[in-house]
Coordinates of all heavy atoms in Angstrom, one line a residue:
R179 N 66.8 54.1 162.4 CA 67.2 55.4 162.9 C 68.5 55.1 163.8 O 68.6 54.0 164.3 CB 66.1 56.0 163.8 CG 65.0 56.5 162.9 CD 63.9 57.0 163.8 NE 63.3 55.8 164.6 CZ 62.2 55.9 165.4 NH1 61.6 57.1 165.6 NH2 61.8 54.9 166.0
N180 N 69.4 56.1 163.9 CA 70.5 56.0 164.7 C 71.4 54.8 164.4 O 71.9 54.1 165.2 CB 70.1 55.9 166.2 CG 71.3 56.4 167.1 OD1 72.1 57.2 166.7 ND2 71.2 55.9 168.3
L181 N 71.6 54.7 163.1 CA 72.4 53.5 162.5 C 73.8 53.7 162.4 O 74.3 54.9 162.2 CB 71.8 53.2 161.1 CG 70.7 52.1 161.0 CD1 70.3 51.9 159.6 CD2 71.0 50.8 161.6
L182 N 74.6 52.6 162.4 CA 76.0 52.6 162.1 C 76.3 51.3 161.3 O 75.8 50.2 161.8 CB 76.9 52.7 163.3 CG 78.4 52.7 163.2 CD1 78.8 54.0 162.4 CD2 79.1 52.7 164.6
V183 N 77.0 51.3 160.2 CA 77.4 50.1 159.5 C 78.8 49.8 159.9 O 79.7 50.6 160.0 CB 77.3 50.3 158.0 CG1 77.7 49.1 157.3 CG2 75.8 50.6 157.6
I184 N 79.0 48.4 160.2 CA 80.3 48.0 160.6 C 80.7 46.8 159.7 O 80.0 45.9 159.3 CB 80.2 47.4 162.1 CG1 79.9 48.5 163.1 CG2 81.5 46.7 162.4 CD1 80.9 49.5 163.3
S185 N 82.0 46.9 159.3 CA 82.7 45.8 158.5 C 83.4 45.0 159.6 O 84.2 45.4 160.4 CB 83.7 46.4 157.6 OG 84.4 45.3 157.0
P186 N 83.2 43.6 159.5 CA 83.8 42.8 160.6 C 85.3 42.5 160.3 O 86.0 42.0 161.2 CB 83.1 41.4 160.4 CG 82.6 41.4 159.0 CD 82.3 42.8 158.6
D187 N 85.8 43.0 159.1 CA 87.2 42.9 158.8 C 87.5 43.8 157.7 O 86.6 44.4 157.1 CB 87.7 41.5 158.5 CG 86.9 40.8 157.3 OD1 86.6 41.5 156.3 OD2 86.4 39.7 157.4
M188 N 88.9 44.0 157.4 CA 89.3 45.0 156.4 C 88.8 44.5 155.0 O 88.5 45.4 154.2 CB 90.8 45.1 156.4 CG 91.4 45.5 157.8 SD 90.7 47.1 158.4 CE 91.5 48.2 157.3
G189 N 88.7 43.3 154.7 CA 88.3 42.7 153.4 C 86.9 43.1 153.0 O 86.5 43.1 151.9
A190 N 86.0 43.3 154.0 CA 84.6 43.6 153.7 C 84.3 45.1 153.8 O 83.1 45.5 153.7 CB 83.6 42.9 154.7
M191 N 85.3 45.9 153.8 CA 85.1 47.4 154.1 C 84.4 48.0 152.8 O 83.5 48.8 153.0 CB 86.4 48.0 154.3 CG 86.4 49.4 154.7 SD 85.4 49.7 156.2 CE 85.5 51.5 156.4
E192 N 84.7 47.7 151.6 CA 84.1 48.3 150.5 C 82.6 48.0 150.5 O 81.7 48.8 150.1 CB 84.7 47.7 149.2 CG 86.0 48.3 148.9 CD 86.0 49.9 148.7 OE1 85.0 50.4 148.0 OE2 86.8 50.6 149.2
R193 N 82.2 46.7 150.9 CA 80.8 46.4 151.0 C 80.1 47.1 152.0 O 79.0 47.6 151.8 CB 80.7 44.8 151.2 CG 79.4 44.2 151.1 CD 79.4 42.7 151.3 NE 80.0 42.1 150.2 CZ 81.3 41.6 150.2 NH1 82.1 41.8 151.2 NH2 81.8 41.0 149.1
A194 N 80.7 47.3 153.2 CA 80.1 48.1 154.3 C 80.0 49.5 153.9 O 79.0 50.1 154.2 CB 81.0 47.9 155.5
K195 N 80.9 50.1 153.2 CA 80.8 51.5 152.7 C 79.7 51.7 151.8 O 79.0 52.7 151.9 CB 82.2 51.9 152.1 CG 83.3 52.2 153.0 CD 84.6 52.3 152.3 CE 84.6 53.4 151.3 NZ 86.0 53.5 150.6
Y196 N 79.4 50.7 151.0 CA 78.3 50.8 150.0 C 77.0 50.8 150.8 O 76.1 51.6 150.5 CB 78.3 49.7 149.0 CG 77.3 49.8 148.0 CD1 77.3 50.9 147.1 CD2 76.2 48.8 147.9 CE1 76.3 50.9 146.1 CE2 75.2 48.9 146.9 CZ 75.3 50.0 146.0 OH 74.3 50.1 145.1
F197 N 76.8 49.9 151.8 CA 75.6 49.9 152.6 C 75.5 51.3 153.3 O 74.4 51.8 153.4 CB 75.7 48.7 153.6 CG 75.1 47.5 153.2 CD1 75.9 46.6 152.3 CD2 73.9 47.0 153.6 CE1 75.4 45.5 151.8 CE2 73.4 45.8 153.2 CZ 74.1 45.1 152.3
A198 N 76.6 51.8 153.9 CA 76.5 53.0 154.6 C 76.1 54.2 153.7 O 75.3 55.0 154.1 CB 77.9 53.3 155.3
E199 N 76.6 54.1 152.5 CA 76.3 55.2 151.5 C 74.8 55.1 151.2 O 74.1 56.2 151.1 CB 77.1 55.0 150.2 CG 76.8 56.0 149.1 CD 77.5 55.7 147.8 OE1 78.4 54.8 147.8 OE2 77.1 56.3 146.8
L200 N 74.2 54.0 151.0 CA 72.8 53.8 150.7 C 72.0 54.3 151.9 O 70.9 54.9 151.7 CB 72.4 52.4 150.4 CG 72.9 51.8 149.0 CD1 72.7 50.3 149.0 CD2 72.2 52.5 147.9
L201 N 72.4 54.1 153.1 CA 71.6 54.4 154.3 C 71.9 55.8 154.7 O 71.2 56.4 155.7 CB 71.9 53.4 155.4 CG 71.4 52.0 155.1 CD1 72.0 51.0 156.0 CD2 69.8 52.0 155.2
G202 N 73.0 56.5 154.2 CA 73.4 57.8 154.7 C 73.9 57.8 156.1 O 73.6 58.8 156.8
V203 N 74.7 56.8 156.4 CA 75.3 56.8 157.8 C 76.8 56.6 157.8 O 77.4 56.4 156.8 CB 74.6 55.6 158.6 CG1 73.1 55.8 158.7 CG2 74.9 54.3 158.0
D204 N 77.3 56.6 159.0 CA 78.8 56.4 159.2 C 79.2 54.9 159.1 O 78.3 54.0 159.2 CB 79.3 57.0 160.5 CG 80.7 57.2 160.6 OD1 81.5 57.0 159.5 OD2 81.2 57.6 161.6
V205 N 80.4 54.6 158.9 CA 80.9 53.3 158.8 C 82.1 53.0 159.7 O 83.0 54.0 159.8 CB 81.2 52.9 157.4 CG1 82.3 53.7 156.8 CG2 81.5 51.4 157.2
G206 N 82.2 51.9 160.3 CA 83.4 51.5 161.1 C 83.9 50.1 160.6 O 83.3 49.4 159.9
V207 N 85.1 49.8 161.2 CA 85.6 48.5 160.7 C 86.4 47.8 161.9 O 86.9 48.5 162.8 CB 86.6 48.7 159.6 CG1 87.8 49.7 159.9 CG2 87.1 47.5 158.9
Y208 N 86.4 46.5 161.8 CA 87.3 45.7 162.8 C 88.5 45.2 162.0 O 88.5 44.8 160.9 CB 86.6 44.6 163.4 CG 85.7 45.0 164.6 CD1 84.4 45.5 164.4 CD2 86.2 44.8 165.9 CE1 83.6 45.8 165.5 CE2 85.5 45.2 167.0 CZ 84.2 45.7 166.8 OH 83.5 46.1 167.9
Y209 N 89.7 45.3 162.8 CA 90.9 44.7 162.2 C 91.1 43.4 163.0 O 91.2 43.4 164.2 CB 92.0 45.7 162.5 CG 93.4 45.0 162.2 CD1 93.8 44.6 160.9 CD2 94.3 44.8 163.3 CE1 95.1 44.0 160.7 CE2 95.5 44.3 163.0 CZ 95.9 43.9 161.8 OH 97.1 43.2 161.5
K210 N 91.2 42.3 162.2 CA 91.5 41.0 162.9 C 93.0 40.8 163.1 O 93.7 40.7 162.1 CB 90.9 39.9 162.0 CG 89.5 39.8 161.8 CD 89.0 38.7 160.9 CE 87.6 38.6 160.7 NZ 87.2 37.5 159.8
R211 N 93.4 40.9 164.3 CA 94.8 40.6 164.7 C 95.0 39.1 164.8 O 94.4 38.5 165.7 CB 95.3 41.3 165.9 CG 96.8 41.3 166.1 CD 97.2 42.4 167.1 NE 96.8 42.1 168.5 CZ 97.5 41.3 169.3 NH1 98.7 40.8 168.9 NH2 97.1 41.0 170.5
R212 N 95.8 38.5 163.9 CA 96.0 37.0 163.9 C 97.4 36.6 164.4 O 98.3 37.3 164.3 CB 95.8 36.6 162.4 CG 94.4 36.8 161.9 CD 94.3 36.3 160.4 NE 92.9 36.5 159.9 CZ 91.9 35.6 160.0 NH1 92.1 34.5 160.7 NH2 90.7 35.9 159.5
D213 N 97.4 35.4 164.9 CA 98.6 34.7 165.2 C 99.3 34.1 164.0 O 98.8 33.0 163.6 CB 98.4 33.7 166.3 CG 99.6 33.0 166.8 OD1 100.7 33.3 166.2 OD2 99.6 32.3 167.8
L214 N 100.2 34.7 163.4 CA 100.7 34.3 162.1 C 101.7 33.1 162.2 O 102.2 32.5 161.3 CB 101.5 35.5 161.4 CG 100.6 36.7 161.1 CD1 101.5 37.8 160.5 CD2 99.5 36.3 160.3
S215 N 101.9 32.7 163.5 CA 102.8 31.6 163.8 C 102.1 30.3 163.8 O 102.7 29.2 163.8 CB 103.5 31.8 165.1 OG 102.7 31.7 166.2

């Protein structure tokens, strides 16, 4: 109950959305800001 599905990065978002769809809940995501240098 009172669930939320989270993707730890943008690459896993489709997988998280599928879990959220099965559970009938909302989904959130984290964006990993990286040091490209």
